[in-house]
Amino acid sequence: MDTVALAVTDGMLHFELALAYEVFDAAPAGVAGPWYGVVVCGPGPVRAGRFLLEPDHGFDRLPQADTVIVPALADVDEAPPADLVDAVRAAHEAGARVVSLCTGAFVLAAAGLLDGRRATTHWAHTQALAARYPQVEVDPDVLYVDNGSVLTSAGKAAAMDLCLHLVRLDHGSSIANAVARRLVVPPQRDGGQAQFVTTPVPAPNHHPLAQLFPWVLERLDQPLTVEDLARQVRMSSRNLGRHFKVATGTTPLQWLLTQRIRRAQELLEITDESIDTIAAATGMGTATTLRRHFNRTVGVPPDTYRRTFRSRNRSGLDEGERHHV
């Protein structure tokens, strides 16, 4: 069982703290093996917003954790507590994966873990982070940044995206989607999407692309083009591109490729279908094309991904949940 330690101190925001606890504390249906063990670590009773918390352990427990999560700090004008900074640094040196949510990035930066690395935080504080820690490559335009052993997220909803990203890394796409369904949140967004849009996004039912997204997801096996998508919503290709950039932070083709890859991940995890069949089911055409895009996007070939995640999760699925293309 992997241990997730939530590192808390006075002045932390309760939203990101509660969010991380909800994601990692309870396993969704379908997990065959062990889930995470969550511990809360702090210097003593701490106040998060209007809540008083009693940690399970002191900061000396952090170096024993597999993953350490630092939630958001309410006041970034003050230097983060030295005991928290030292403990987070020690945990990373001991081999822990260290994650910051929102302004928790200031703790990681103070610990030196972001030196020479790309990182992000809530868009309202990116300038302050860059000014205070010039050795950090601050990216204000993304939801989260994954540097392997050090990960940072923007604020609020982006913290959920990063937590789901961690579940996806550890347990696969199907389980991460199950967590999202349990929490009634959308499936994980890509880290490279924009933190915020320049114009307000209308209510989902009234957004010009509201009906397009489910229409596309039901047709991933088809060779869709930008022109096909534009025709479906009665727009020009250029106008469609503008709406996509506002709604998703990316282009129609990149979004479509991401959905194809995610569908391939799920099929690799929960079916016995061949790579050729999965390539056809996801609109990739051939196994060669699927392998090329999958390896570039996910970082491993489809066969390796299947061996890693299907053996971990498949036995936990009910027979009724197992399906074929």
Side-chain angles (χ1 to χ4, degrees):
M1 176 185 297
D2 287 347
T3 300
V4 173
L6 305 179
V8 300
T9 190
D10 279 327
M12 285 198 159
L13 298 175
H14 61 272
F15 180 87
E16 287 81 359
L17 173 60
L19 178 155
Y21 189 88
E22 282 293 322
V23 170
F24 296 105
D25 185 57
V31 176
W35 190 242
Y36 304 99
V38 178
V39 294
V40 180
C41 301
V46 301
R47 186 166 294 281
R50 299 181 65 181
F51 298 94
L52 189 64
L53 304 177
E54 185 69 47
D56 305 307
H57 304 278
F59 284 144
D60 57 348
R61 178 71 171 78
L62 293 186
Q64 303 171 45
D66 299 288
T67 299
V68 172
I69 296 180
V70 183
L73 297 172
D75 186 0
V76 298
D77 293 329
E78 296 290 333
D83 55 349
L84 172 60
V85 171
D86 292 342
V88 167
R89 184 188 301 114
H92 185 259
E93 291 173 351
R97 177 173 61 182
V98 179
V99 180
S100 67
L101 305 180
C102 192
T103 52
F106 283 80
V107 176
L108 273 59
L113 303 188
L114 301 182
D115 290 357
R117 287 188 165 111
R118 184 166 155 263
T120 195
T121 188
H122 190 289
W123 62 267
H125 302 290
T126 52
Q127 290 186 351
L129 183 65
R132 192 174 307 167
Y133 303 101
Q135 62 274 40
V136 180
E137 182 187 343
V138 180
D139 189 338
D141 298 322
V142 295
L143 296 177
Y144 59 85
V145 177
D146 182 348
N147 287 303
S149 64
V150 179
L151 303 91
T152 56
S153 87
K156 306 304 179 185
M160 175 68 79
D161 292 313
L162 180 52
C163 288
L164 290 175
H165 173 69
L166 294 173
V167 175
R168 191 178 299 271
L169 290 175
D170 297 339
H171 293 275
S173 179
S174 180
I175 297 301
N177 290 344
V179 173
R181 286 193 298 271
R182 176 173 63 82
L183 298 177
V184 198
V185 297
Q188 168 217 6
R189 297 175 292 172
D190 293 323
Q193 291 189 23
Q195 284 198 32
F196 62 99
V197 297
T198 55
T199 56
V201 177
N205 289 340
H206 301 289
H207 191 275
L209 305 183
Q211 303 305 315
L212 180 62
F213 294 139
W215 182 87
V216 171
L217 295 177
E218 292 174 359
R219 293 166 175 80
L220 290 177
D221 60 326
Q222 301 177 20
L224 299 172
T225 65
V226 173
E227 289 72 23
D228 292 329
L229 273 59
R231 191 178 305 113
Q232 179 65 21
V233 289
R234 296 180 175 84
M235 293 181 184
S236 67
S237 298
R238 179 175 296 181
N239 196 24
L240 177 71
R242 285 196 294 267
H243 280 291
F244 249 91
K245 188 67 175 178
V246 169
T248 71
T250 189
T251 66
L253 283 181
Q254 185 56 52
W255 180 85
L256 180 58
L257 176 60
T258 298
Q259 308 317 308
R260 296 191 192 281
I261 294 297
R262 287 185 178 173
R263 179 61 175 154
Q265 287 178 296
E266 292 187 6
L267 295 176
L268 287 165
E269 292 169 24
I270 63 177
T271 79
D272 295 316
E273 301 294 352
S274 68
I275 303 300
D276 285 296
T277 301
I278 292 176
T282 56
M284 295 289 191
T286 67
T288 300
T289 300
L290 172 59
R291 285 191 171 96
R292 182 175 70 253
H293 287 297
F294 195 97
N295 200 7
R296 185 176 61 192
T297 303
V298 181
V300 295
D303 311 84
T304 302
Y305 184 90
R306 166 172 271 171
R307 286 194 299 270
T308 300
F309 290 110
R310 189 180 61 171
S311 61
R312 185 181 302 174
N313 299 323
R314 187 169 183 259
S315 61
L317 297 173
D318 294 330
E319 287 297 328
E321 293 181 88
R322 298 179 186 170
H323 63 278
H324 296 275
V325 180

